[in-house]
Amino acid sequence: MSSSPPPASPDGALRYRVDRTGTTIAVLPATCKGGRHLVIPGVSRAIAVEDEVRIDCPACAAVPGADPSWRLTSSRPSPDRAELDDGPYVDLILHRVRAAASAR
């Protein structure tokens, strides 16, 4: 009997911004976790479940061994709007680039 692997730990916290009308907007990474593809509305999927948001890259999911999903924690209710922007995630993206470089 085989057991399923433990779930991956989250990549970081979901970022938010407030627009000039006071509306809270979730800010999702605009680039897939692997850094190879853009997150495209209608193609990529963002799923909020309980205290986590997962952003899936279908192109990465088709590559064996690739990690196709950002996993971001959230302690707020899901906002009505979301936008794509890598800016708030520069620290997470740099961490992934450095980890990939050191693994080579």
Side-chain angles (χ1 to χ4, degrees):
M1 176 195 274
S2 66
S3 62
S4 51
S9 60
D11 297 299
L14 179 64
R15 307 318 206 276
Y16 300 88
R17 77 174 187 85
V18 178
D19 71 9
R20 61 187 160 155
T21 66
T23 302
T24 300
I25 300 168
V27 181
L28 307 175
T31 305
C32 74
K33 187 172 176 178
R36 294 178 186 88
H37 312 104
L38 295 176
V39 173
I40 301 170
V43 176
S44 303
R45 290 186 349 185
I47 301 167
V49 177
E50 295 181 13
D51 62 350
E52 184 175 282
V53 175
R54 192 177 79 220
I55 300 103
D56 295 329
C57 174
C60 287
V63 177
D67 185 352
S69 302
W70 282 109
R71 293 185 57 223
L72 304 172
T73 58
S74 174
S75 59
R76 300 182 185 187
S78 294
D80 293 332
R81 291 178 41 205
E83 64 185 26
L84 301 172
D85 184 359
D86 281 335
Y89 296 97
V90 169
D91 59 327
L92 297 178
I93 294 167
L94 286 175
H95 174 74
R96 293 211 31 89
V97 168
R98 289 181 183 134
S102 67
R104 291 181 200 168

